[in-house]
């Protein structure tokens, strides 16, 4: 017995050691930082005394050669370094053929065995995402030593190794790409300061050759004017092609410019599109890419290699594509530098001119000065300037200089003459031969005006006016540079003119706003940055009982508050000072000590980006708050009532209805006929009461704007026939007759059939209830009368329900569609009902885009009219128009 216990303990100890070794194995694999560390962790973890394996090895697959490479092993001291097994060689080759694990009980007898002289060999695939990465080999010197548990351990180790190796390779790949990107960005950073285009192009090409590890290359710039490429830099190409033009589509670079796609040419000398100048060169393989910025072509770059064994692959192309956009940006920056430098000199001259005009605020003097400066800057004979009159929608010539005709004060229609056409198109215009131009103005037919250039004066997209410059020399032709300079001048001139015009308007507006504040019914007060009052309007004096001289210089919050409300008021003022729009509802103290409920707002006053004060606004909402409190109280009572109706009545009623149905079935089975009628009454009463509760909930949904429409095409005639069939029992109950009068052209309508059906049932039920021994008529027809609200004509349907019942007075009709209301108390006692049916029906009709109206006379009867559009459009929000 003692021996058995000791044996059991030894088994538990061995199991514990085995589990510990497996835990160390998993931990080691998970902690491995790279691929080699993963392989070493696997073999070291499995070569554990607790597991009993004599030889463990990891062989990974070389995807290029198909060989298995020994990456780590233990238990075979004589293992050759970097052992490589050719495809099909060794027992582990079987794993690569079928992707399955293989166990060999006597590996020493197998002719393909490679490794130490062991007896058992287990080969397990190492894979990730269905792709085999290599083989895990586990061997033992004992015959037939492996059990199911060993197979599971080896499979688990291989699976963990596959995941870890895949992760390590992914990390290494991304790290490599990050280093490449860093190298490219570092290269671009080194070249960012180089603004000489020739030097930059040479440096870019040399960096590309170095980064891509190629033997040479060329770089070409795209000439937009000529539509071709110009070779601008060359490196180790065996021929000097700098300055050579390449047509789009010609050679490797011309091809990528045409396609806007990169190109790999493995054997350039065999490529049919190769350039003749490289047919005898050392160029063997070529990789080219376009240089583009946001879809705009800058140029092209081509890299070459003279080694025929070197083949560019996807990784090389990816690196080139990584380099190309950065190179394009650097080239474009250098190209723009010279152009911008030249333009900067022009702009400086222009700004000097405009600076003299900025301070001028007298509009006539500004207009004449603008025109004279423009003619001097553009070196032209003369010109005219016109202002756009927004009210008259035409141009008024306000300045003229050396044009041979005095047109100041004359008006010009939009589209008339050069300036009128520019005003119409808001585009500049150059007329080389004005006297031959079909659109010329009659007042300029004299020979002094030979060529014209005009441009709009715009503030954003708003037309301020037009400026036109002319020259009397027929040999002078305005160029694109002249037009560019005029447009540059025009934008600044528009600002100067607008400033002068706005100055006068500002003075007028200042007086207007002063009057607005003074006469405003809202109490307005202004403060400095120390919260001291600087001004207040008469409404402030009336609301709080202070005169202006009594509040000037005083702290506003201390003036209108007690210590109990001061902190809250200061929070508003501080928020407004911080730039926020501080608003809220509070109480403030008057001079006589009484309190007033106010809606307040505090606004920071900022001038030219600098805060200069705070404005406070107060609106007396005493009556509004009282009305709001009453409304909230009523709404709370309503919500409480509806909640009680929903939860306290509907749930037990459903139980009553269900049990009454069960009792009817039970009584029928037992033959107790005398009880069936009673149970039916219980069931009917429960259904009736549940319908009333559902009406209340429907009304609540409609008023809350949560009722949805389910629109479909409805056969109106069929629907009316079905409704008539449903209500016939009610019709016969009071000895009435139901008559349908349906127009032959009655159309299909697109509406909510369920809600329309409920409306019709409610109206017909009321007609049956209040009519006895008479006829109830339903008339339906199309109704294309004008829409009462918009005046538009559109398709409508109209349904009239006519009864000859008790009728109503005008006072009764006034509250007919109010919820929980009937004509009068006596009617409720006599005929019953909650007064919800008509309220819900009207809200449903309005939700569907129509309405219900009524005409009635006491003792004669009533006519209820339902009017709905033939095509109901779902409302933007499900809220309804009020009954008012």
């Amino acid at each position: 017995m003692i021996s058995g216990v000791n044996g059991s303990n030894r088994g538990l100890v061995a199991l514990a050691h085995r589990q510990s070794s497996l835990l160390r194995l998993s931990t080691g694999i998970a902690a491995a930082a790279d691929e080699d560390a993963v392989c070493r962790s696997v073999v070291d973890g499995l070569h554990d005394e607790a597991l009993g394996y004599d030889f463990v090895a990891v062989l990974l697959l070389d995807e290029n050669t198909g060989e298995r490479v020994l990456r780590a092993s233990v238990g075979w001291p004589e293992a050759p370094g970097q052992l490589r097994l050719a495809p099909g060689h060794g027992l582990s080759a079987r794993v690569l053929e079928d992707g399955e694990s293989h166990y060999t009980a006597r590996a020493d007898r197998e002719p393909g065995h490679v490794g130490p002289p062991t007896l058992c060999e287990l080969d397990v695939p190492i894979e990730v995402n269905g792709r085999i990465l290599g083989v895990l080999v586990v061997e033992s010197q004992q015959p037939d030593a492996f059990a199911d548990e060993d197979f599971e351990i080896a499979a688990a180790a291989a699976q963990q190794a596959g995941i870890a190796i895949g992760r390590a390779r992914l990390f290494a790949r991304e790290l490599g790409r990050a280093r490449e990107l860093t190298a490219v960005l570092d290269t671009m950073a080194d070249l960012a300061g180089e603004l000489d285009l020739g030097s930059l192009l040479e440096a870019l090409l040399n960096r590309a050759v170095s980064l891509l590890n190629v033997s040479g290359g060329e770089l070409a710039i795209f000439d937009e004017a000529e539509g071709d490429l110009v070779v601008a830099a060359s490196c180790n190409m065996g021929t000097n092609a700098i300055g050579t033009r390449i047509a789009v589509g010609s050679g490797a670079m011309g091809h990528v410019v045409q396609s806007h796609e990169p190109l790999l040419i493995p054997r350039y000398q065999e490529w049919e599109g190769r350039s003749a100048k490289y047919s005898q060169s050392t160029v063997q393989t070529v990789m080219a890419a376009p240089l583009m910025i946001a879809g705009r072509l800058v140029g092209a770059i081509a890299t070459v290699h003279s080694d025929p064994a070197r083949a560019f692959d996807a990784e090389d192309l990816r690196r080139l594509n990584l380099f190309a956009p950065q190179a394009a940006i650097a080239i474009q920056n250098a190209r723009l530098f010279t152009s911008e430098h030249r333009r900067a000199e022009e702009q400086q001259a222009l700004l000097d001119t405009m600076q003299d005009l900025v301070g001028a605020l007298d509009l006539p003097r500004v207009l004449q000065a603008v025109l004279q400066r423009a003619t001097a800057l553009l070196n032209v004979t003369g010109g005219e300037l016109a202002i756009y009159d927004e009210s008259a929608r035409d141009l008024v010539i306000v300045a003229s200089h050396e044009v041979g005709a005095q047109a100041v004060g004359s008006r010009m229609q939009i589209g008339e003459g050069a300036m009128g056409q520019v005003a119409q198109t808001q585009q500049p215009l150059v007329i080389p031969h004005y006297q031959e131009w079909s659109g010329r103005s009659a007042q300029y037919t004299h020979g002094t005006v030979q060529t014209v250039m005009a441009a709009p004066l715009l503030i954003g997209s708003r037309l301020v006016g037009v400026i036109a410059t002319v020259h009397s020399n027929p040999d002078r032709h305005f160029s694109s540079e002249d037009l560019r300079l005029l447009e540059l001048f025009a934008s600044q001139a528009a600002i100067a003119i607008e400033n002068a015009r706005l100055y006068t308007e500002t003075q007028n507006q200042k007086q207007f706003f002063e009057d607005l504040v003074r006469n405003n019914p809202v109490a307005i007060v202004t403060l400095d940055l120390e919260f001291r009052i600087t001004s207040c309007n008469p409404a402030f004096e009336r609301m709080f009982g202070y005169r202006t001289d009594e509040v000037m210089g005083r702290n506003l919050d201390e003036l209108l508050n007690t210590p109990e409300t001061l902190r809250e008021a200061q929070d508003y003022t501080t928020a407004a000072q911080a730039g926020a729009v501080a608003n809220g509802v509070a109480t403030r103290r008057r001079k006589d000590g009484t309190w007033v409920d106010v809606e307040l707002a505090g606004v920071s006053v900022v001038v030219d980006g600098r805060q200069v004060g705070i404005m406070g606004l107060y609106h007396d909402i005493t009556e509004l708050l009282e009305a709001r409190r009453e409304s909230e109280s009523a709404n709370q009572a309503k919500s409480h009532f509806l909640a009680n109706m929903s939860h306290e009545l509907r749930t037990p009623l459903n139980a009553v209805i269900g049990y009454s149905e069960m009792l009817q079935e039970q009584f029928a089975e037992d033959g107790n006929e005398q009880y069936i009628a009673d149970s039916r009454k219980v069931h009917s009463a429960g259904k009736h009461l549940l319908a009333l509760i559902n009406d209340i909930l429907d009304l609540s949904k409609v008023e809350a704007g949560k009722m949805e429409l389910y629109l479909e095409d409805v056969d109106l005639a069929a629907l009316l026939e079905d409704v008539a069939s449903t209500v016939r029992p009610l019709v016969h109950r009071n000895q009435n007759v139901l008559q349908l009068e349906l127009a032959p052209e009655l159309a299909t309508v697109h509406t909510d059939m369920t809600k329309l059906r409920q409306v019709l049932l409610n109206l017909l039920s009321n007609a049956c209830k209040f009519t006895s021994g008479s006829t109830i008529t339903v008339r339906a027809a199309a109704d294309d009368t004008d829409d009462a609200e918009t005046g538009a004509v559109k398709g409508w349907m109209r349904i009239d329900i006519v009864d000859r019942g008790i009728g109503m007075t005008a006072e009764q009709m006034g509250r007919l569609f109010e919820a929980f209301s009937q004509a009068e108390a006596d009617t409720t006692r006599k005929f019953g009902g909650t007064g919800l049916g008509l309220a819900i029906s009207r809200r449903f009709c309005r939700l569907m885009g129509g309405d219900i109206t009524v005409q009635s006379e006491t003792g004669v009867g009533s006519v209820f009219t339902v009017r709905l559009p033939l095509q109901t459009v779902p409302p933007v929000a499900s809220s309804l128009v009020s009954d008012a």
Side-chain angles (χ1 to χ4, degrees):
M1 184 66 179
I2 295 176
S3 173
V5 171
N6 290 336
S8 175
N9 289 338
R10 284 195 298 272
L12 291 174
V13 171
L15 177 61
H17 287 168
R18 195 176 186 89
Q19 291 177 340
S20 297
S21 65
L22 293 177
L23 180 59
R24 288 194 297 273
L25 169 65
S26 299
T27 304
I29 294 174
D34 54 32
E35 192 173 320
D36 288 332
V38 172
C39 296
R40 175 50 55 188
S41 297
V42 171
V43 299
D44 289 344
L46 289 175
H47 193 259
D48 190 284
E49 182 179 356
L51 300 176
Y53 306 135
D54 298 311
F55 170 68
V56 183
V58 173
L59 297 94
L60 297 185
L61 184 66
D62 186 332
E63 294 183 353
N64 293 324
T65 65
E67 297 174 315
R68 281 152 291 142
V69 182
L70 180 64
R71 299 294 295 271
S73 67
V74 63
W76 186 17
E78 298 81 11
Q82 288 296 310
L83 173 66
R84 303 178 74 91
L85 298 179
H89 185 62
L91 298 181
S92 61
R94 297 172 297 178
V95 172
L96 304 182
E97 295 171 359
D98 58 14
E100 303 289 340
S101 299
H102 288 271
Y103 172 60
T104 306
R106 292 299 302 269
D108 57 328
R109 298 177 181 177
E110 296 293 332
H113 176 65
V114 177
T118 55
L119 297 181
C120 302
E121 179 174 332
L122 175 61
D123 300 310
V124 182
I126 299 174
E127 57 183 338
V128 63
N129 296 329
R131 184 167 64 91
I132 296 179
L133 305 180
V135 184
L136 171 63
V137 179
V138 182
E139 299 183 5
S140 175
Q141 294 180 353
Q142 301 299 320
D144 200 15
F146 294 153
D148 290 342
E149 184 179 6
D150 298 296
F151 298 152
E152 293 175 359
I153 292 173
Q159 182 182 29
Q160 293 182 51
I163 295 172
I165 291 171
R167 182 188 66 226
R169 288 182 176 179
L170 178 61
F171 176 75
R173 183 164 60 252
E174 294 303 321
L175 181 61
R177 291 186 177 182
R179 287 171 177 168
E180 290 173 2
L181 179 60
T182 301
V184 170
L185 294 178
D186 289 345
T187 296
M188 294 299 106
D190 294 341
L191 298 175
E194 181 60 71
L195 296 175
D196 178 71
L197 186 58
S199 301
L200 174 68
L201 296 174
E202 195 70 31
L204 278 174
L205 183 59
N206 290 333
R207 290 295 184 100
V209 168
S210 175
L211 284 172
L212 297 169
N213 191 25
V214 294
S215 60
E218 283 184 346
L219 193 151
I221 297 299
F222 182 64
D223 187 339
E224 293 184 354
E226 298 296 329
D228 60 10
L229 292 168
V230 181
V231 177
S234 180
C235 177
N236 297 330
M237 293 297 292
T239 179
N240 187 6
I242 294 178
T244 302
R245 289 188 173 271
I246 301 174
V248 173
S250 174
M253 288 194 290
H255 186 84
V256 300
V257 166
Q258 184 177 55
S259 66
H260 289 190
E261 297 290 341
L263 175 67
L264 288 179
I265 307 174
R267 296 177 178 81
Y268 183 77
Q269 299 303 330
E270 301 175 10
W271 184 50
E272 61 181 11
R274 72 184 185 280
S275 174
K277 66 180 180 180
Y278 298 119
S279 59
Q280 303 299 322
S281 70
T282 59
V283 175
Q284 299 297 324
T285 183
V286 174
M287 178 172 59
L291 304 178
M292 305 185 72
I293 298 177
R296 179 169 173 265
L297 188 65
V298 174
I301 186 172
T303 58
V304 306
H305 211 288
S306 58
D307 184 1
R310 168 70 186 273
F312 290 127
D313 56 19
E315 280 297 304
D316 294 312
L317 187 60
R318 183 186 60 78
R319 283 190 287 268
L320 180 60
N321 285 335
L322 188 66
F323 180 85
Q326 303 298 325
I329 294 172
I331 292 170
Q332 189 67 1
N333 287 343
R335 292 178 70 181
L336 290 174
F337 174 74
T338 303
S339 175
E340 292 304 317
H341 182 69
R342 182 177 65 252
R343 293 186 180 185
E345 293 176 346
E346 296 173 352
Q347 288 176 348
Q348 186 59 49
L350 178 63
L351 291 174
D352 291 343
T353 298
M354 299 312 301
Q355 187 174 3
D356 296 338
L357 300 174
V358 169
L361 295 175
D362 180 61
L363 186 56
R365 292 179 58 189
V366 169
L367 295 172
Q368 193 63 36
V370 164
L371 183 59
Q372 291 176 355
R373 292 296 183 97
T375 57
L377 187 66
L378 293 166
N379 190 26
V380 294
T381 303
E384 285 185 343
L385 192 148
I387 295 297
Y388 178 61
D389 186 339
E390 294 185 359
S391 60
R393 296 183 178 276
D394 61 8
L395 295 171
V396 182
I397 298 177
V398 293
S400 180
H401 180 68
E402 300 293 336
V403 295
Q406 184 55 258
V408 174
S410 62
R411 288 184 175 269
M412 184 175 294
Q413 297 299 314
I414 301 298
E416 177 188 352
M419 289 196 290
Q421 189 173 119
V422 168
Q424 185 177 54
T425 63
Q426 293 194 5
Q427 296 296 324
L429 176 66
V430 175
I431 307 172
H433 305 289
Y434 184 77
Q435 297 304 326
E436 301 174 10
W437 184 51
S438 60
R440 71 186 185 280
S441 175
Q443 62 179 322
Y444 301 117
T445 55
H446 52 80
T448 58
V449 177
Q450 297 296 324
T451 183
V452 174
M453 179 172 60
L457 305 178
L458 299 168
I459 300 291
S461 61
R462 184 170 62 85
L463 183 68
V464 174
V466 179
I467 186 170
T469 59
V470 305
H471 210 285
S472 58
N473 184 359
D475 296 328
R476 167 72 186 271
H477 297 288
F478 291 124
S479 65
S480 59
E481 281 297 307
D482 293 320
L483 185 59
R484 183 185 61 79
L485 193 57
L486 177 61
E487 288 186 283
L488 191 63
F489 181 87
S491 62
Q492 300 298 322
I495 295 173
I497 294 170
E498 190 71 358
N499 285 343
R501 188 165 68 177
L502 289 176
Y503 175 75
T504 302
E505 293 180 3
T506 301
Q507 297 304 308
N508 296 334
Q509 289 178 359
K510 178 181 178 183
Q511 184 62 43
F512 169 78
F513 283 112
E514 287 178 353
D515 293 341
L516 180 64
V517 170
R518 184 168 53 254
N519 299 315
N520 202 303
V522 175
I524 301 175
V525 59
T526 60
L527 314 175
D528 61 19
L529 296 180
E530 300 297 326
F531 309 148
R532 294 185 295 263
I533 298 174
T534 57
S535 69
C536 66
N537 69 344
F540 183 90
E541 296 177 330
R542 291 191 298 271
M543 179 178 291
F544 295 106
Y546 291 101
R547 298 190 312 273
T548 300
D549 61 325
E550 292 179 305
V551 300
M552 293 294 291
R554 297 186 62 179
N555 183 283
L556 174 67
D557 295 330
E558 295 176 354
L559 178 70
L560 302 182
N561 291 275
T562 62
E564 290 76 17
T565 62
L566 181 60
R567 178 61 181 272
E568 171 252 357
Q570 290 173 337
D571 289 341
Y572 282 117
T573 309
T574 303
Q577 185 186 42
V581 177
N583 51 52
V585 175
T587 56
R588 291 294 180 265
R589 185 180 60 178
R590 298 187 179 96
K591 179 181 179 180
D592 61 7
T594 61
W595 294 88
V596 58
D597 292 317
V598 295
E599 181 181 11
L600 61 86
V603 182
S604 177
V605 179
V606 178
V607 177
D608 294 332
R610 184 174 63 89
Q611 187 181 38
V612 297
I614 300 171
M615 178 180 289
L617 300 94
Y618 298 90
H619 177 59
D620 188 346
I621 59 169
T622 304
E623 295 181 359
L624 180 63
L625 286 180
E626 182 61 29
R628 180 178 178 180
R629 282 190 286 268
E630 293 177 0
S631 175
E632 288 176 349
S633 176
N635 189 57
Q636 183 178 10
K638 173 186 170 183
S639 299
H640 183 68
F641 170 73
L642 291 176
N644 285 341
M645 290 292 288
S646 174
H647 296 289
E648 300 299 331
L649 293 178
R650 190 161 61 176
T651 300
L653 275 175
N654 280 321
V656 170
I657 292 169
Y659 278 117
S660 67
E661 290 174 348
M662 294 171 59
L663 288 173
Q664 290 179 57
E665 293 174 359
Q666 186 63 44
F667 291 150
E669 291 177 3
D670 296 341
N672 295 325
E673 297 292 336
Q674 66 274 24
Y675 299 125
I676 293 178
D678 293 334
S679 61
R680 285 177 179 168
K681 292 178 182 178
V682 172
H683 180 267
S684 176
K687 293 284 284 186
H688 176 69
L689 187 53
L690 183 59
L692 295 179
I693 294 171
N694 286 333
D695 281 349
I696 294 172
L697 297 178
D698 277 351
L699 181 64
S700 175
K701 282 185 179 180
V702 171
E703 291 180 343
K706 297 181 179 179
M707 182 64 72
E708 298 180 354
L709 291 179
Y710 300 90
L711 301 179
E712 57 184 310
D713 290 330
V714 179
D715 185 339
L716 187 56
L719 176 63
L720 289 170
E721 292 284 355
D722 179 63
V723 170
S725 176
T726 302
V727 300
R728 275 200 169 85
L730 293 176
V731 174
H732 296 155
R733 183 178 299 170
N734 284 351
Q735 292 78 46
N736 292 311
V737 175
L738 181 61
Q739 181 176 331
L740 295 181
E741 297 179 2
L742 308 182
E745 73 278 5
L746 203 59
T748 297
V749 297
H750 188 69
T751 190
D752 189 320
M753 183 176 69
T754 301
K755 291 180 177 56
L756 178 55
R757 177 186 174 88
Q758 186 173 341
V759 169
L760 295 174
L761 286 173
N762 282 339
L763 295 177
L764 283 170
S765 296
N766 282 346
C768 293
K769 184 191 301 183
F770 299 110
T771 304
S772 178
S774 186
T775 300
I776 299 171
T777 304
V778 178
R779 300 192 190 103
D783 184 7
D784 287 333
T785 57
D786 289 352
D787 182 24
E789 292 183 3
T790 66
V793 176
K794 58 182 179 179
W796 291 85
M797 68 169 181
R798 175 184 176 127
I799 303 172
D800 294 324
I801 298 176
V802 184
D803 68 66
R804 291 171 175 78
I806 62 176
M808 291 174 287
T809 65
E811 180 184 357
Q812 290 170 340
M813 286 190 291
R815 58 176 183 272
L816 186 62
F817 293 100
E818 296 177 3
F820 304 103
S821 174
Q822 285 192 331
E824 57 186 20
D826 290 340
T827 304
T828 303
R829 287 192 295 271
K830 182 176 180 181
F831 295 99
T834 62
L836 288 176
L838 289 177
I840 293 173
S841 296
R842 167 169 275 190
R843 284 162 172 79
F844 279 178
C845 286
R846 290 184 173 180
L847 183 62
M848 293 184 287
D851 204 353
I852 297 179
T853 58
V854 61
Q855 294 178 344
S856 186
E857 184 177 347
T858 304
V860 176
S862 304
V863 179
F864 285 84
T865 299
V866 175
R867 192 166 181 264
L868 294 173
L870 296 179
Q871 289 287 331
T872 297
V873 178
V876 175
S878 296
S879 58
L880 298 180
V881 180
S882 69
D883 291 335

